[in-house]
Amino acid sequence: MFVSDPKRPLRADARPVRRSRRYKRTLLVFLASSLLFSAVVMLTAFIVDPLQHYRKPTLYSPIYSTEQRYQNPGLARNYDYDTIIIGTSMTENFVPSEVDKALGGKTLKLSMRGSLAFEQYEIARLALSTGKVKQVLWGLDYFALKSTQENQGPFPYYLYDDNFWNDYKYWFNESTYEQAVKGLYRQLKTGNKQSLEYLYNWDWSSTFGKELVLKNYRKVQVMEAAYGGKEDSLESVKASFERYIVPLLQNNPDVKFMFYYPPYSILRHVVWQQTNPERYENQMAMKTWMFEKFNAYPNVSVYDFQAESEWTYNLDLYKDLSHHSQEVNTWIAEAIGRNDAKYRVTPDNVDDTVSLLRRQVDETVVGPDGELHRFRVSLPGAGDAEPGTAPFTRKEMPGDGELLVPAKELAAYLGAVLEWDQATRTLRFKRGAVVLEMAAGSTEARVNGKARQTAYAPVLTGGKTLTPLRFTAEALGLNTEIQELGERTHSIVIKP
């Protein structure tokens, strides 16, 4: 039992005082430990500098991150160069030494896969602010001018400014150290030192070929239709260009800017025309509009590779509808280096470059052999003195020189009236005194009530009814003639 000393009375507040002192000591220890830990982390980040934010390493071999939005600022600040590459994944396969040879200079690749114009603006602005840049090679994709892009995290603006006080986001960001560890692991696993020559390059790890592209084509035909109605307006896309491209041209008149439009496979444009016509039309319109803006600056040149059929029809150069191999990047650099008139856009040919791509898209169809074919359909006397390709937004080639095309568009092209019976899924064409009836999925047709057999039945696909072009035209009293213009290039002439 505890007995108090009557000569030494216990203070009523002694225990709370001692407890308060312990709290203060604990708090001070915690604060001191936190400050010490923060100082160690800060010092480690400053010395190790995983993303080379402060300096290029001299005591050890550089370890590069593949997270381009985080790695590029340090490269732009601390490396030697006079030429930069800006763009999306379409520019990742450029090899700097090959660009050096083609353009002259010392090249640094600052690509960002899936990047939008504001991101490209930030890294271009940072590089230009160093005073090193004399040339900019910029692969400009239409989608980069959109306002949003899926699957991209927050942009690390703190790495792109000169404000030291917000670098704590760099020091205390776990992803900073995660990227360093991953980079070190890649280096140890491969046994090779990393270099800027093939940084971000995916050519070596990719498989290319026609079969892969055609598989992607069939898949994307379904997927792309979901984007309809979700496109940015043309005004919004133009505003993005004005905000993120034009200021760099205005503020750097002594820098040579070389913009180019990447050569997607022709099927990329075909899918847009078929399933996302708003994007298809917008990107065509933007080519002319952007050139008018570019042409105001003497330090800007523009090159268009999207209608280079020797590349865009060779599906073995691609891994999907858009992404081409490294050798195509080399060809692009060489063409720009020699200022090839075939690709250089001028006031005299800007409309022609757009018209040529449109004509290729209108003509292209995938044959039953898996090869790309071009069909030119003309109706002499229907309009132009030299009629071009009929603008059928969707085409299938079952074989034997026949095409399946949208019934509504074919009827308008032939000057026929079209009726559709939903209950029986029957097409009824009327041209003069001739009435042609065909049911979707059936090879039996009727012309003025008399039975006729077709080699290929009309089909319902993608919200359209496709009908056999040559059979329909001939059944309506017209003649068709197919001519071979070259390898897998055909002409269908429709005559009265």
Side-chain angles (χ1 to χ4, degrees), residues 47-61:
I47 294 175
V48 177
D49 198 9
L51 298 179
Q52 303 174 59
H53 183 61
Y54 300 110
R55 72 190 69 80
K56 180 180 178 180
T58 56
L59 300 179
Y60 58 89
S61 299

Side-chain angles (χ1 to χ4, degrees), residues 176-190:
T176 298
Y177 305 96
E178 179 184 357
Q179 292 171 46
V181 171
K182 288 181 177 179
L184 181 60
Y185 173 74
R186 283 192 300 272
Q187 184 165 310
L188 294 174
K189 183 179 180 181
T190 60

Side-chain angles (χ1 to χ4, degrees), residues 89 91-95 109 201-203 324-326 329:
S89 56
T91 66
E92 288 179 304
N93 283 342
F94 279 115
V95 178
K109 184 165 54 181
N201 191 301
W202 43 261
D203 183 85
H324 52 68
S325 66
Q326 177 181 300
N329 289 89

Side-chain angles (χ1 to χ4, degrees), residues 310-353:
E310 291 188 10
W311 306 350
T312 61
Y313 280 80
N314 183 358
L315 300 185
D316 287 329
L317 294 173
Y318 295 82
K319 71 170 186 174
D320 52 34
L321 294 186
S322 303
H323 294 88
H324 52 68
S325 66
Q326 177 181 300
E327 60 186 323
V328 178
N329 289 89
T330 300
W331 297 340
I332 290 170
E334 292 172 346
I336 293 176
R338 63 177 178 266
N339 194 27
D340 196 323
K342 182 178 181 181
Y343 309 110
R344 177 72 183 266
V345 183
T346 68
D348 294 330
N349 69 15
V350 59
D351 292 331
D352 293 337
T353 61

Side-chain angles (χ1 to χ4, degrees), residues 67-70 112-116 118-119 147-158 160 173 175 179:
E67 294 297 327
Q68 299 153 325
R69 291 161 176 79
Y70 291 81
M112 293 185 191
R113 68 185 69 90
S115 56
L116 297 176
F118 82 89
E119 297 172 301
S147 59
T148 58
Q149 184 72 2
E150 292 80 10
N151 303 322
Q152 299 296 347
F155 189 76
Y157 285 103
Y158 58 90
Y160 290 75
N173 192 328
S175 69
Q179 292 171 46

Side-chain angles (χ1 to χ4, degrees), residues 159-178:
L159 295 175
Y160 290 75
D161 60 31
D162 295 323
N163 182 4
F164 180 80
W165 299 110
N166 66 13
D167 283 4
Y168 69 89
K169 298 178 182 179
Y170 173 52
W171 307 330
F172 300 106
N173 192 328
E174 66 180 60
S175 69
T176 298
Y177 305 96
E178 179 184 357

